[in-house]
Amino acid sequence: MAQTYDTILQGGTLVNQDGIGPCDIGIIGQTIAFIGDLSRASAGRVIDCTGLHVLPGVIDTQVHFREPGATHKEDLESGSRAAVMGGVTAVFEMPNTNPLTTSAETLADKCQRASNRMHCDFAFWVGGTHENVRDIRELERLPGAAGIKVFMGSSTGSLLVADDAGVAAILSQTRRRAAFHSEDEFILRERESFKVAGDASSHPVWRDEAAALSSTRRLVKIARQTGARIHILHISTAAEIDFLKAHKDIASLEVTPHHLTMAADDYARLGTRLQMNPPVREARHRDQLWYGVAQGIADILGSDHAPHTLEEKAKPYPQSPSGMTGVQTLVPIMLDHVYHGRLSLQRFVDMSSAGPARLFGIARKGRVAVGYDADFTIVDLKRRQTITDEWIASRSQWTPYHGRAVMGWPCGTIVRGGQVMWEGQLLAPSTGQPVLFGEALPQR
Ligand code: DOR
């Protein structure tokens, strides 16, 4: 190979659609230019990946970065810094900010705030509401839009479309896959009395399995009636895994590291820090989510990074807000599950890179292929390290995994050819750009 590259990733073990094996990667500009033996090629920069595994860049399709409106918890800079510290190369950010991301103007404002300020690439979910239903077809295809997101049960913020008619009106407009927070608002309201003051372990008793299943059943029925494709975020119940396997033609599923890792007995230790919507539940649900991973029913991983400050989380339940950080810990927590044999490294890549690209039609990301963006998550599977609050770059500066030792660690993050993070150091200026989608490219 006489060719010269800008960057060569040398000596690593590549994990991609071909399998797992030793492989160098040549990068020109922002793009992958060659995959193979580059031991005799020259480059402006050679990154030594000896002993490391090179994965396609991890794409986290559910994060809350709180800007505009609640930047004391997080902003687009700090949230994306947390992302790249944890090996994540692109994020899809949620619309429950203030103002809500429900219009072309608020979406353009987020894109402007994010460009060359975020450390990773980005797209923004646009909130579907009763009010903007007539604009949805246009909104979901705007530059920087990941698609439409609907809250069927209320959570942080004021976005809510609880009724079947409202959901049907939105799904009759969407052409892209729309994402849903699926908990039945009417059941949640009926069950308010199950909240026990001062006891966060009552959170899954209030927001119970039946509330999640009822909403998901209603949603699938409406999706069939309207011919829409749906993505159900943070699946948390055994019953939904069992139900949704019969609806894979139209419904995709996200599972989160916290629902796969923790269970109801952790409320005693973590209290309101574990409080999340939908809730972390008894261990039998966690077991069934793992069955969903093993059987391919669950499509992708998303962190649902939802930071609140420790002062806010210290309020007594139920005044305490729901949500925890997660974008930075997704990779190490899941690599630890790989180490313990709960999923393979290739299945992890399927759920965190190839899966998001497949479901949402992301252009040029999600696999290692010539002509694709040079996005990589470089990991050391043999590194044992302890996750601590001090390591967390989120402005909220805490993690439910504080003190947890894991095997497997993200040591490098490459975004479109830029070495953004290496060994815990932020190296490059922020150059985040909107993710491109095949489905949203301008029509001819
Ligand atoms: O626990 C949650 N927190 N679930 C959500 O759906 C929203 C999130 C937040 O924004 O705080």
Side-chain angles (χ1 to χ4, degrees):
M1 272 270 119
Q3 175 96 44
T4 294
Y5 298 91
D6 294 325
T7 303
I8 291 178
L9 306 183
Q10 195 139 57
T13 301
L14 175 64
V15 184
N16 73 355
Q17 64 283 351
D18 248 1
I20 302 182
C23 205
D24 305 321
I25 294 155
I27 299 168
I28 297 178
Q30 307 186 359
T31 308
I32 299 169
F34 186 79
I35 304 164
D37 180 3
L38 288 171
S39 50
R40 284 182 298 166
S42 58
R45 170 177 58 181
V46 174
I47 300 177
D48 182 9
C49 297
T50 308
L52 304 177
H53 282 70
V54 178
L55 318 181
V58 167
I59 303 166
D60 185 348
T61 51
Q62 190 186 180
V63 302
H64 302 262
F65 282 174
R66 310 298 191 204
E67 181 179 346
T71 52
H72 66 288
K73 300 174 198 265
E74 195 74 286
D75 67 23
L76 294 169
E77 190 280 326
S78 62
S80 63
R81 183 151 35 92
V84 299
M85 286 298 169
V88 171
T89 57
V91 296
F92 293 7
E93 203 267 346
M94 284 293 167
N96 57 336
T97 45
N98 187 8
L100 302 168
T101 315
T102 51
S103 65
E105 293 70 38
T106 47
L107 173 65
D109 175 57
K110 270 194 179 173
C111 289
Q112 196 184 357
R113 290 165 183 267
S115 289
N116 295 321
R117 180 157 154 263
M118 286 180 70
H119 301 279
C120 59
D121 284 347
F122 55 82
F124 296 106
W125 291 101
V126 178
T129 67
H130 290 107
E131 290 74 30
N132 70 2
V133 75
R134 258 179 256 103
D135 304 326
I136 275 189
R137 214 174 280 191
E138 184 192 329
L139 288 172
E140 70 174 356
R141 298 181 65 255
L142 289 173
I148 301 297
K149 153 84 186 276
V150 177
F151 283 85
M152 290 176 70
S154 43
S155 191
T156 304
S158 58
L159 280 175
L160 182 65
V161 181
D163 59 311
D164 286 3
V167 172
I170 291 170
L171 284 184
S172 61
Q173 295 301 313
T174 52
R175 294 297 174 268
R176 299 179 72 184
R177 186 182 294 274
F180 285 82
H181 181 121
S182 180
E183 289 185 282
D184 189 312
E185 180 69 10
F186 305 104
I187 296 181
L188 297 183
R189 284 181 199 163
E190 274 166 23
R191 295 180 61 81
E192 295 260 357
S193 62
F194 285 89
K195 289 184 230 179
V196 177
D199 182 4
S201 73
S202 64
H203 198 57
V205 183
W206 167 38
R207 303 178 83 110
D208 69 347
E209 179 176 31
L213 180 63
S214 163
S215 170
T216 294
R217 280 183 180 279
R218 287 170 42 215
L219 172 59
V220 166
K221 192 171 169 196
I222 298 165
R224 289 225 173 272
Q225 285 163 352
T226 51
R229 288 169 299 157
I230 52 175
H231 178 62
I232 310 183
L233 299 156
H234 40 46
I235 291 288
S236 64
T237 68
E240 286 168 285
I241 292 285
D242 295 339
F243 171 67
L244 286 167
K245 65 187 172 205
H247 301 285
K248 294 295 297 173
D249 53 338
I250 57 165
S252 56
L253 284 69
E254 175 197 79
V255 289
T256 70
H258 51 278
H259 288 117
L260 289 168
T261 306
M262 295 181 286
D265 51 8
D266 289 307
Y267 285 103
R269 191 170 51 87
L270 291 168
T272 58
R273 293 192 192 195
L274 192 58
Q275 181 191 334
M276 191 84 194
N277 298 330
V280 170
R281 305 178 190 279
E282 310 97 279
R284 73 176 178 87
H285 295 287
R286 182 178 59 190
D287 295 346
Q288 195 64 0
L289 297 182
W290 277 112
Y291 173 82
V293 171
Q295 297 291 311
I297 301 165
D299 292 278
I300 62 171
L301 287 159
S303 73
D304 195 4
H305 176 84
H308 300 285
T309 66
L310 281 178
E311 292 69 36
E312 291 163 336
K313 291 295 267 184
K315 290 181 188 164
Y317 183 83
Q319 282 98 55
S320 44
S322 295
M324 58 178 78
T325 64
V327 70
Q328 194 172 342
T329 46
L330 183 151
V331 171
I333 287 291
M334 293 311 298
L335 290 182
D336 192 57
H337 287 308
V338 169
Y339 172 73
H340 286 99
R342 297 187 189 108
L343 79 170
S344 69
L345 193 56
Q346 277 179 300
R347 177 67 169 131
F348 172 67
V349 168
D350 177 51
M351 295 188 78
S352 56
S353 299
R358 169 174 61 84
L359 297 186
F360 302 113
I362 301 173
R364 288 197 321 242
K365 292 190 190 292
R367 62 200 257 139
V368 177
V370 168
Y372 271 54
D373 289 350
D375 294 346
F376 299 97
T377 301
I378 300 174
V379 302
D380 184 349
L381 296 182
K382 294 196 209 71
R383 187 179 305 180
R384 191 173 166 79
Q385 194 148 331
T386 300
I387 295 172
T388 62
D389 287 346
E390 292 70 39
W391 177 61
I392 296 298
S394 164
R395 186 153 300 151
S396 295
Q397 265 252 301
W398 66 277
T399 164
Y401 305 110
H402 176 72
R404 191 182 187 103
V406 293
M407 186 67 114
W409 198 256
C411 20
T413 308
I414 314 267
V415 180
R416 281 178 290 100
Q419 190 179 16
V420 174
M421 185 279 282
W422 198 256
E423 293 296 354
Q425 301 301 314
L426 200 61
L427 297 184
S430 35
T431 57
Q433 290 296 317
V435 169
L436 298 178
F437 297 93
E439 294 188 75
L441 294 176
Q443 277 174 347
R444 286 178 290 169

